[in-house]
Amino acid sequence: MNTADLGLPVDVPSTALFTDQYEFTMLQAALKAGTAERRSVFEVFTRRLPEGRRYGVVAGTGRVLDAVENFRFDAGVLGFLREQRIVDEPTLEWLARYRFSGDIWGYPEGEVYFPGSPIVRVEGSFAECVLLETVILSILNHDSAIAAAASRMSAAAGGRRLIEMGARRTHELSAVAAARAAYVGGFDSTSDLAAGFRYAIPTVGTSAHAFTLLHDSERGAFQAQVDSLGRGTTLLVDTYDVVEAVRTAVDIAGPELGAVRIDSGDLLLVAHRVRQQLDELGAVDTKIVVTSDLDEYAIASLAAAPVDAYGVGTQLVTGSGHPTCSMVYKLVARARSTDTAAPLEPVAKKSLGGKMSVGGRKWAARRLDADGIAEAEVVGVGDVPAELAERQLLVELVKGGDVVAREPLDAARARHAAARAGLPMSAIQLSRGEAVIPTEYV
């Protein structure tokens, strides 16, 4: 289902202005020059992974499909473009009829990628494709950065549950997208209700320190929460004295207490002490949740601690130091004329400073070793070698302007788990290093 149909307050009426102005000025000039309708191929890729990352994670594909469907120029948008004299009247007339009618292929959401991977391929007229550049990149760069951080945290957690709780650390709309991307990357739930409402991600949450401070005593706060939410609730135990709080929590809720949350201090030491105390009090099934500015390194450092779940906020929604993937959207092939039968010709940027691109409409496949583990990302132009035909990575997402590959978010989440498991074991190491497999061009 197109989430825009829900009419949610986090939606916008059109994605058409999520665009840089030069997309429109290029369109106007191309229309005047008679080149706007030349058949063209654009590709999204990144020249390098963020420093220290061994693989990237494709996320945001579903949101891209929604954005393409909602890329429409209504009267209000056209009025703005006219008032600001962004483009001329012939261009406005063309935009009023705009509907993307081309094809989009891409790595399915949740798949991993590497430098040079043709993550998305957009095909159609130059005019209709060039307008999508900014909105596609803004979604993929943001969501893939969050998903990559989430994947690293998920690997570090080693099967323990992960809660996304970064809504208050980013823009309110980015928070929804971040929760979605984190779920693709391996997180289990979110504190953000808009994300739960829009994407059916499991939501969790109980209380903050303010609830304890509201009451005349910690006992009174715990009693009120248990009376309201039941014995299976999670009680926050570090407002005052942790030892006394744990004793009070078990005294009120009994051994059925669901969990305690620790949000400060030496988490490794405190978790061990709390686990011992809970066991001594008979609350052997009560879980321990830790929060407090965690990232993948902090999570890994707690591997030996008796922790059952981690809540992560700031570091997750900011990509754990890498808030973008540096993806670009480049023209790689175009026809010499507007004749629909004109063959495509490779084109490529040639410049200094490492910003060169490889021309041609590309395919990609992942070569596996004898044990079924990835050993290379193979990217090529032209015919796909027979031995790689069954390992191709791009799938059809949009055909003739119609979305053909919308899927449940859980499918992308499961795909990522499988894709990461198919990489060499060094992929999940947190030490700095290059991409875990090389990219080979053929």
Side-chain angles (χ1 to χ4, degrees), residues 107-132:
Y107 281 37
E109 190 158 20
E111 183 58 85
V112 296
Y113 70 87
F114 299 93
S117 297
I119 299 164
V120 172
R121 189 175 72 217
V122 183
E123 306 180 30
S125 71
F126 175 85
E128 63 181 340
C129 294
V130 74
L131 290 178
L132 299 177

Side-chain angles (χ1 to χ4, degrees), residues 367-376:
R367 191 172 70 239
L368 309 182
D369 65 17
D371 297 318
I373 300 300
E375 65 176 12

Side-chain angles (χ1 to χ4, degrees), residues 139-154:
I139 292 171
L140 292 178
N141 269 313
H142 174 270
D143 290 22
S144 297
I146 306 305
S151 179
R152 285 162 60 87
M153 294 175 189
S154 174

Side-chain angles (χ1 to χ4, degrees), residues 337-360:
S337 71
T338 58
D339 185 343
T340 56
L344 290 170
E345 299 179 346
V347 294
K349 176 181 178 180
K350 299 184 184 300
S351 64
L352 301 177
K355 280 195 165 186
M356 294 178 63
S357 58
V358 178

Side-chain angles (χ1 to χ4, degrees), residues 294-324:
L294 299 177
D295 61 10
E296 59 266 49
Y297 300 100
I299 291 171
S301 74
L302 292 168
V307 172
D308 300 286
Y310 305 94
V312 190
T314 303
Q315 292 300 317
L316 176 60
V317 300
T318 56
S320 195
H322 297 290
T324 181

